[in-house]
Amino acid sequence: MNFYPSEAQMLSEAAREQGVYIIGGSIPECQDGEEKLWNTCTVWDPQGNLIAKHRKIHMYDVDIPGGITFMESKSLSPGDKITVFDTPFGKIATAICFDIRFPSLLTYILQVHPDVCAFLLPSAFNMTTGPRDWELLQRMRAVDNQIYVGMCSGARDTSAQYVNYGHTLLASPRGDIISSPTPSDEGESIVFAKLDPSVMRSVREGLPLWRSQKYNVYGKLEGGDKYA
């Protein structure tokens, strides 16, 4: 596999120097002997090691009248695997941007890895879909799956060809927004949040959605696990 060396090195060095885990946005990835190009998110541990990567699964092919036309599949190939990695703080799943719109993805992840505590995605919604869907999608995924869900966006630059919506945020298992910039802040900012697994457990005990699933009616992933 090949990434732009400077970007991969920067992420590795930043993780090592700060002693933190980094979910490093997304960068183009190619593989020796193949013509494919993927939109890939890399994950780095506090020692600067690459411990996971996610190739974006769902291509952003849209044509919104009066809004935006974008055909990602013309230059990129879709990934075909879910991405989950372990940390001392809990198991985390990641994906990229448009992947958030497909509820079956997180449902599948949680059936295979029921101990995942957070779903975190680097994202770049635009000024057509961002104002309408950015907050809504994250809160829906959080409530439906009783899990922390967050998306990190680049700051808005109105001079760019593709203008990011911005507004990085994190939603709790109850669907509350627990960390975000101020509503008017789409520029550069730092967002902090504490993820408390006990909150997730409390929500699931009080409202046991997964124990109440009716798989005899709508089926269950073969070989998958269900929350206890």
Side-chain angles (χ1 to χ4, degrees):
M1 72 198 70
N2 297 299
F3 304 106
Y4 285 123
S6 59
E7 295 183 6
Q9 182 178 352
M10 178 272 292
L11 291 168
S12 175
E13 291 177 354
R16 184 174 64 252
E17 290 172 0
Q18 300 301 319
V20 296
Y21 288 86
I22 291 181
I23 300 174
S26 69
I27 54 180
E29 178 201 2
C30 61
Q31 189 161 309
D32 293 339
E34 293 196 25
E35 296 182 358
K36 291 182 178 180
L37 188 68
W38 294 275
N39 184 1
T40 300
C41 172
T42 56
V43 182
W44 307 83
D45 71 10
Q47 290 72 49
N49 300 312
L50 178 66
I51 59 171
K53 66 175 185 178
H54 176 78
R55 291 171 172 169
K56 188 177 182 182
I57 296 171
H58 303 94
M59 296 291 93
Y60 188 57
D61 289 354
V62 300
D63 185 7
I64 302 173
I68 186 172
T69 298
F70 200 97
M71 295 295 165
E72 194 172 32
S73 62
K74 288 185 176 181
S75 56
L76 297 170
S77 297
D80 59 4
K81 294 181 176 63
I82 62 172
T83 305
V84 175
F85 60 95
D86 289 303
T87 76
F89 320 105
K91 189 170 288 188
I92 296 173
T94 191
I96 297 174
C97 201
F98 197 49
D99 289 336
I100 191 73
R101 289 187 178 273
F102 299 86
S104 297
L105 174 61
L106 186 51
T107 300
Y108 177 86
I109 289 171
L110 291 172
Q111 286 190 33
V112 178
H113 300 281
D115 50 348
V116 163
C117 63
F119 186 44
L120 306 176
L121 305 86
S123 305
F125 276 37
N126 53 65
M127 294 303 297
T128 298
T129 59
R132 182 187 63 203
D133 299 336
W134 175 260
E135 177 183 318
L136 177 64
L137 284 165
Q138 292 171 78
R139 296 183 69 187
M140 285 195 304
R141 296 294 90 80
V143 169
D144 287 348
N145 298 281
Q146 299 173 312
I147 191 175
Y148 288 99
V149 175
M151 297 204 299
C152 180
S153 171
R156 188 181 305 174
D157 179 1
T158 55
S159 66
Q161 183 176 2
Y162 184 97
V163 180
N164 286 335
Y165 176 62
H167 296 285
T168 293
L169 68 81
L170 183 77
S172 79
R174 296 188 179 94
D176 302 318
I177 297 175
I178 59 175
S179 186
S180 71
T182 61
S184 61
D185 185 5
E186 65 277 345
E188 292 186 14
S189 58
I190 299 175
V191 174
F192 295 96
K194 181 179 180 180
L195 279 65
D196 186 351
S198 68
V199 172
M200 190 172 70
R201 289 193 294 269
S202 175
V203 170
R204 291 177 176 178
E205 289 169 1
L207 192 64
L209 299 181
W210 289 87
R211 287 202 300 268
S212 303
Q213 297 269 13
K214 299 299 182 183
Y215 290 112
N216 62 311
V217 176
Y218 44 74
K220 179 177 182 290
L221 171 68
E222 185 177 351
D225 296 320
K226 183 171 66 173
Y227 291 134

